[in-house]
Amino acid sequence: MTTLSDPVEATRSRAITTQFALSRDKILYGGLLVLTAIAYLWGLSKNGYANEYYAAAVQAGSTSWKAWFFGSFDASSFITVDKTPASLWVMGLSGRLFGFSSWSMLVPEALMGVASVGFVYVSVRRWFSANAALLAGAVLALTPVAVLMFRFNNPDALLILLLCAGAWAVTRAIDAGKHAARWMMLAGALVGFGFLTKMMQAFLILPAFGIAYLVAGKPALGKRLVHLVLATGSLVVSAGWWVAIVELLPASARPYIGGSSTNSILELTLGYNGLGRLNGNETGSVGGGTGNPGWGGATGVQRLFGGEFASQIAWLLPAALIATVVLVVAAGKAPRTDRKRAFALLWGGWLVVTGLVFSYMQGIIHSYYMIALAPAIAALIGAAMAVLWRRRTEWLPRTTLAGGILLTAGWGFALLNQTPTWQPWLRWMVLVTGVLAAGSLMLLPELKLRRTAARRAGVFAAVLLVVSALAGPTAYSLSTIGTAHAGALPSAGPAGVGGMGGRGGFGGGRMGTPPTQDGNGTTQQPGTGTTRSPGGVGGFLGGGGTSGVSSELVALLREGADGYTWAAAAVTANGAAPLQIASGEPIMAIGGFNGTDAAPTLAEFKELVAQGKIHYFVGGGGGMMGGRNGTSNEIATWVADNFQSQTVGNTTIYDLSTGTGA
């Protein structure tokens, strides 16, 4: 006969309890991923083709392997998009498997969001509690800009997934002894593919990854240094193989590199998409050659806490900065390999370095870039909450936690006050629940409640805390899910956000609106003070362009298209994108994204017309600057002078198979 004191029975009882706890954690983890998937997939089709610039390239890649490999805008591979193509590879493969459509393009993006939440969860769970990991995953899943971009077709979804996976690999490397080098090489490879997704933005997390492993890794210092060298080599190989192929191929064997002025991927990497974003020297950019302060407001740390940027990402940003300090202080004089300190170096370094670069970069920056901060904020919040909650009976941790709650609630109230007529009750609920949560945490340890009552009171306080912290971003996320988003400048949350005094806006427009475009999307001609409609069917920054392509124009573009390399040519990729998506035929994007790339030259265009490779020219587009290098304007003028125009639907076109072409 056994008793409760029997060692065998006690061991069996502990095993059952452990098994139940693990099952509960797995159920909650699975529930988090399922709910995230539902949120990201719900009503996804309302976003249509989202950013039509990338959608056109996805369409091209779903029909042509050459276009897929190079990230070409059109299936005939005249010019690439102005980014490396990894995100297009994923969406293009989906298009090949399921046929090109809004769903086949956007569902992979949503699933990348679910996977990103999963990687944040397992990274936090490895060193902290399951509840901390659950909170971290929920914070990322409910961050407004994350909800926006994981339902969109910009490269950011894949970038975040790769960086989250990279952070998890570094976590495994810090824990590992014998196989630490393998994990660091995996981290390097993941960041390298991040470069192939959005170029040098992926490298912003490298200081955090390297320092965290160098400080906290288990092997001896010499081995840790060797491992970092191996990780760097892995990064160079994974990032450089595609670049090397493109750079070594003759220009005649590949498309023109969009966004570059010399048809060079290295120039695009180091210039427009590299150092140019930091110092503002962005030759070929949409905002000008030197310095574009208007795109993101005044530089400085206030940038992330003001205007539209704040509503996208800053709900828990102050708390995340406090969380970083909490983890460092909690580590104290612990050994070098202490996990709390390593976690602060890894995720806090990610947050601080990326945040400072975004704050002070002088080139183009958009509010949706802020998704790069979301995983670090989520991880830090979850980890610090675990540390503080476990020690909440102590005065300093309790005061820190209560102060952080009050700060977060007050900041949430301020952010919600940007849209005072939208759900006006919500900001008061956030504030009141925050005060109640902070008060409960301060008071409960002093009441000397019985164990069961204390546990229930603690759960109640925790619920108030979570509601106060997440109600605001959750409401903005739900608004984002319920609203259609398209074009090149998507923004999360309800309409009218951009406030906090309007810092950094343009004539009262939304933050991130280009310097020559007002908040309603009307483009102003530089130096004239006059305005024009976006022109043609595409407009400068796209969004809704396919709705302006008439059925008559689609029929005309498809007629005899098999006999031409390009069914038509249009100035700017954003002018060509809706034509290409609607017709399914390759459209040449003269001048690339905004009409300023020197591709093709007038002589090259004349030769292509003479060879019978372009059927129509679509008028009325025009780059934002009208083609600063003059090439786009020269081509448009030559076509107008030598070919007869006709109006199809609401669009002016020229049949290049007729006329003198002199």
Side-chain angles (χ1 to χ4, degrees), residues 436-454:
L436 290 175
S440 299
L441 286 170
M442 294 301 296
L443 182 62
L444 287 177
E446 309 298 330
L447 296 180
K448 308 300 182 183
L449 298 173
R450 292 184 179 182
R451 186 173 182 179
T452 301

PDB file of all heavy atoms in Angstrom, residues 436-454:
ATOM      1  N   LEU A 436      -6.042  51.416 -11.794  1.00  0.00           N
ATOM      2  CA  LEU A 436      -6.501  50.323 -10.937  1.00  0.00           C
ATOM      3  C   LEU A 436      -5.458  49.207 -10.855  1.00  0.00           C
ATOM      4  O   LEU A 436      -5.228  48.632  -9.778  1.00  0.00           O
ATOM      5  CB  LEU A 436      -7.820  49.765 -11.462  1.00  0.00           C
ATOM      6  CG  LEU A 436      -9.050  50.669 -11.319  1.00  0.00           C
ATOM      7  CD1 LEU A 436     -10.260  50.023 -11.995  1.00  0.00           C
ATOM      8  CD2 LEU A 436      -9.342  50.949  -9.848  1.00  0.00           C
ATOM      9  N   ALA A 437      -4.835  48.883 -11.982  1.00  0.00           N
ATOM     10  CA  ALA A 437      -3.812  47.832 -11.982  1.00  0.00           C
ATOM     11  C   ALA A 437      -2.622  48.229 -11.126  1.00  0.00           C
ATOM     12  O   ALA A 437      -2.123  47.432 -10.314  1.00  0.00           O
ATOM     13  CB  ALA A 437      -3.368  47.543 -13.411  1.00  0.00           C
ATOM     14  N   ALA A 438      -2.150  49.464 -11.306  1.00  0.00           N
ATOM     15  CA  ALA A 438      -1.009  49.931 -10.514  1.00  0.00           C
ATOM     16  C   ALA A 438      -1.352  49.969  -9.028  1.00  0.00           C
ATOM     17  O   ALA A 438      -0.559  49.543  -8.175  1.00  0.00           O
ATOM     18  CB  ALA A 438      -0.578  51.309 -10.998  1.00  0.00           C
ATOM     19  N   GLY A 439      -2.548  50.482  -8.702  1.00  0.00           N
ATOM     20  CA  GLY A 439      -2.959  50.534  -7.306  1.00  0.00           C
ATOM     21  C   GLY A 439      -3.080  49.153  -6.694  1.00  0.00           C
ATOM     22  O   GLY A 439      -2.670  48.922  -5.545  1.00  0.00           O
ATOM     23  N   SER A 440      -3.630  48.206  -7.442  1.00  0.00           N
ATOM     24  CA  SER A 440      -3.776  46.849  -6.938  1.00  0.00           C
ATOM     25  C   SER A 440      -2.420  46.216  -6.649  1.00  0.00           C
ATOM     26  O   SER A 440      -2.228  45.562  -5.617  1.00  0.00           O
ATOM     27  CB  SER A 440      -4.543  46.002  -7.952  1.00  0.00           C
ATOM     28  OG  SER A 440      -5.841  46.517  -8.172  1.00  0.00           O
ATOM     29  N   LEU A 441      -1.477  46.404  -7.561  1.00  0.00           N
ATOM     30  CA  LEU A 441      -0.160  45.818  -7.363  1.00  0.00           C
ATOM     31  C   LEU A 441       0.542  46.397  -6.131  1.00  0.00           C
ATOM     32  O   LEU A 441       1.243  45.681  -5.405  1.00  0.00           O
ATOM     33  CB  LEU A 441       0.703  46.049  -8.603  1.00  0.00           C
ATOM     34  CG  LEU A 441       0.351  45.190  -9.812  1.00  0.00           C
ATOM     35  CD1 LEU A 441       1.096  45.669 -11.047  1.00  0.00           C
ATOM     36  CD2 LEU A 441       0.708  43.734  -9.537  1.00  0.00           C
ATOM     37  N   MET A 442       0.354  47.675  -5.897  1.00  0.00           N
ATOM     38  CA  MET A 442       0.974  48.301  -4.733  1.00  0.00           C
ATOM     39  C   MET A 442       0.299  47.884  -3.433  1.00  0.00           C
ATOM     40  O   MET A 442       0.946  47.744  -2.384  1.00  0.00           O
ATOM     41  CB  MET A 442       0.925  49.825  -4.879  1.00  0.00           C
ATOM     42  CG  MET A 442       1.765  50.383  -6.003  1.00  0.00           C
ATOM     43  SD  MET A 442       3.529  49.975  -5.852  1.00  0.00           S
ATOM     44  CE  MET A 442       3.943  50.844  -4.334  1.00  0.00           C
ATOM     45  N   LEU A 443      -0.993  47.644  -3.483  1.00  0.00           N
ATOM     46  CA  LEU A 443      -1.759  47.403  -2.265  1.00  0.00           C
ATOM     47  C   LEU A 443      -1.811  45.936  -1.851  1.00  0.00           C
ATOM     48  O   LEU A 443      -1.753  45.617  -0.651  1.00  0.00           O
ATOM     49  CB  LEU A 443      -3.183  47.927  -2.458  1.00  0.00           C
ATOM     50  CG  LEU A 443      -4.151  47.804  -1.269  1.00  0.00           C
ATOM     51  CD1 LEU A 443      -3.631  48.607  -0.080  1.00  0.00           C
ATOM     52  CD2 LEU A 443      -5.536  48.268  -1.673  1.00  0.00           C
ATOM     53  N   LEU A 444      -1.919  45.030  -2.814  1.00  0.00           N
ATOM     54  CA  LEU A 444      -2.180  43.623  -2.499  1.00  0.00           C
ATOM     55  C   LEU A 444      -1.162  42.997  -1.543  1.00  0.00           C
ATOM     56  O   LEU A 444      -1.563  42.272  -0.611  1.00  0.00           O
ATOM     57  CB  LEU A 444      -2.255  42.808  -3.796  1.00  0.00           C
ATOM     58  CG  LEU A 444      -3.517  43.028  -4.640  1.00  0.00           C
ATOM     59  CD1 LEU A 444      -3.443  42.229  -5.929  1.00  0.00           C
ATOM     60  CD2 LEU A 444      -4.765  42.643  -3.846  1.00  0.00           C
ATOM     61  N   PRO A 445       0.150  43.202  -1.723  1.00  0.00           N
ATOM     62  CA  PRO A 445       1.098  42.575  -0.789  1.00  0.00           C
ATOM     63  C   PRO A 445       0.928  43.030   0.657  1.00  0.00           C
ATOM     64  O   PRO A 445       1.383  42.338   1.580  1.00  0.00           O
ATOM     65  CB  PRO A 445       2.458  42.995  -1.351  1.00  0.00           C
ATOM     66  CG  PRO A 445       2.215  43.274  -2.789  1.00  0.00           C
ATOM     67  CD  PRO A 445       0.854  43.875  -2.824  1.00  0.00           C
ATOM     68  N   GLU A 446       0.309  44.186   0.835  1.00  0.00           N
ATOM     69  CA  GLU A 446       0.142  44.712   2.190  1.00  0.00           C
ATOM     70  C   GLU A 446      -1.106  44.160   2.874  1.00  0.00           C
ATOM     71  O   GLU A 446      -1.284  44.358   4.086  1.00  0.00           O
ATOM     72  CB  GLU A 446       0.058  46.247   2.139  1.00  0.00           C
ATOM     73  CG  GLU A 446       1.169  46.925   1.355  1.00  0.00           C
ATOM     74  CD  GLU A 446       2.546  46.664   1.965  1.00  0.00           C
ATOM     75  OE1 GLU A 446       2.609  46.484   3.195  1.00  0.00           O
ATOM     76  OE2 GLU A 446       3.535  46.626   1.215  1.00  0.00           O
ATOM     77  N   LEU A 447      -1.983  43.483   2.134  1.00  0.00           N
ATOM     78  CA  LEU A 447      -3.247  43.032   2.712  1.00  0.00           C
ATOM     79  C   LEU A 447      -3.134  41.697   3.441  1.00  0.00           C
ATOM     80  O   LEU A 447      -4.063  41.311   4.166  1.00  0.00           O
ATOM     81  CB  LEU A 447      -4.304  42.910   1.603  1.00  0.00           C
ATOM     82  CG  LEU A 447      -4.692  44.212   0.898  1.00  0.00           C
ATOM     83  CD1 LEU A 447      -5.731  43.941  -0.171  1.00  0.00           C
ATOM     84  CD2 LEU A 447      -5.206  45.242   1.904  1.00  0.00           C
ATOM     85  N   LYS A 448      -2.042  40.992   3.275  1.00  0.00           N
ATOM     86  CA  LYS A 448      -1.833  39.710   3.951  1.00  0.00           C
ATOM     87  C   LYS A 448      -2.992  38.736   3.689  1.00  0.00           C
ATOM     88  O   LYS A 448      -3.548  38.118   4.598  1.00  0.00           O
ATOM     89  CB  LYS A 448      -1.671  39.916   5.462  1.00  0.00           C
ATOM     90  CG  LYS A 448      -0.625  40.933   5.853  1.00  0.00           C
ATOM     91  CD  LYS A 448       0.754  40.538   5.335  1.00  0.00           C
ATOM     92  CE  LYS A 448       1.808  41.572   5.781  1.00  0.00           C
ATOM     93  NZ  LYS A 448       3.143  41.269   5.231  1.00  0.00           N
ATOM     94  N   LEU A 449      -3.386  38.617   2.437  1.00  0.00           N
ATOM     95  CA  LEU A 449      -4.483  37.725   2.072  1.00  0.00           C
ATOM     96  C   LEU A 449      -4.032  36.267   2.135  1.00  0.00           C
ATOM     97  O   LEU A 449      -2.846  35.954   2.053  1.00  0.00           O
ATOM     98  CB  LEU A 449      -4.964  38.047   0.646  1.00  0.00           C
ATOM     99  CG  LEU A 449      -5.529  39.446   0.415  1.00  0.00           C
ATOM    100  CD1 LEU A 449      -5.788  39.649  -1.062  1.00  0.00           C
ATOM    101  CD2 LEU A 449      -6.800  39.659   1.222  1.00  0.00           C
ATOM    102  N   ARG A 450      -5.024  35.391   2.287  1.00  0.00           N
ATOM    103  CA  ARG A 450      -4.726  33.972   2.211  1.00  0.00           C
ATOM    104  C   ARG A 450      -4.253  33.609   0.803  1.00  0.00           C
ATOM    105  O   ARG A 450      -4.495  34.340  -0.143  1.00  0.00           O
ATOM    106  CB  ARG A 450      -5.957  33.159   2.580  1.00  0.00           C
ATOM    107  CG  ARG A 450      -6.352  33.285   4.042  1.00  0.00           C
ATOM    108  CD  ARG A 450      -7.515  32.376   4.366  1.00  0.00           C
ATOM    109  NE  ARG A 450      -7.871  32.473   5.771  1.00  0.00           N
ATOM    110  CZ  ARG A 450      -8.833  31.753   6.354  1.00  0.00           C
ATOM    111  NH1 ARG A 450      -9.544  30.892   5.615  1.00  0.00           N
ATOM    112  NH2 ARG A 450      -9.094  31.895   7.646  1.00  0.00           N
ATOM    113  N   ARG A 451      -3.634  32.458   0.711  1.00  0.00           N
ATOM    114  CA  ARG A 451      -2.972  32.084  -0.543  1.00  0.00           C
ATOM    115  C   ARG A 451      -3.932  32.089  -1.734  1.00  0.00           C
ATOM    116  O   ARG A 451      -3.638  32.651  -2.775  1.00  0.00           O
ATOM    117  CB  ARG A 451      -2.337  30.708  -0.386  1.00  0.00           C
ATOM    118  CG  ARG A 451      -1.502  30.286  -1.578  1.00  0.00           C
ATOM    119  CD  ARG A 451      -0.776  28.988  -1.287  1.00  0.00           C
ATOM    120  NE  ARG A 451       0.066  28.599  -2.411  1.00  0.00           N
ATOM    121  CZ  ARG A 451       0.827  27.508  -2.425  1.00  0.00           C
ATOM    122  NH1 ARG A 451       0.842  26.713  -1.360  1.00  0.00           N
ATOM    123  NH2 ARG A 451       1.555  27.222  -3.485  1.00  0.00           N
ATOM    124  N   THR A 452      -5.112  31.473  -1.565  1.00  0.00           N
ATOM    125  CA  THR A 452      -6.068  31.407  -2.673  1.00  0.00           C
ATOM    126  C   THR A 452      -6.571  32.790  -3.047  1.00  0.00           C
ATOM    127  O   THR A 452      -6.643  33.157  -4.231  1.00  0.00           O
ATOM    128  CB  THR A 452      -7.252  30.504  -2.307  1.00  0.00           C
ATOM    129  OG1 THR A 452      -6.769  29.201  -2.003  1.00  0.00           O
ATOM    130  CG2 THR A 452      -8.241  30.428  -3.460  1.00  0.00           C
ATOM    131  N   ALA A 453      -6.915  33.588  -2.044  1.00  0.00           N
ATOM    132  CA  ALA A 453      -7.413  34.936  -2.295  1.00  0.00           C
ATOM    133  C   ALA A 453      -6.333  35.808  -2.927  1.00  0.00           C
ATOM    134  O   ALA A 453      -6.603  36.600  -3.835  1.00  0.00           O
ATOM    135  CB  ALA A 453      -7.911  35.567  -0.995  1.00  0.00           C
ATOM    136  N   ALA A 454      -5.091  35.635  -2.475  1.00  0.00           N
ATOM    137  CA  ALA A 454      -3.989  36.418  -3.032  1.00  0.00           C
ATOM    138  C   ALA A 454      -3.756  36.061  -4.502  1.00  0.00           C
ATOM    139  O   ALA A 454      -3.471  36.930  -5.331  1.00  0.00           O
ATOM    140  CB  ALA A 454      -2.726  36.176  -2.227  1.00  0.00           C
TER     141      ALA A 454
END
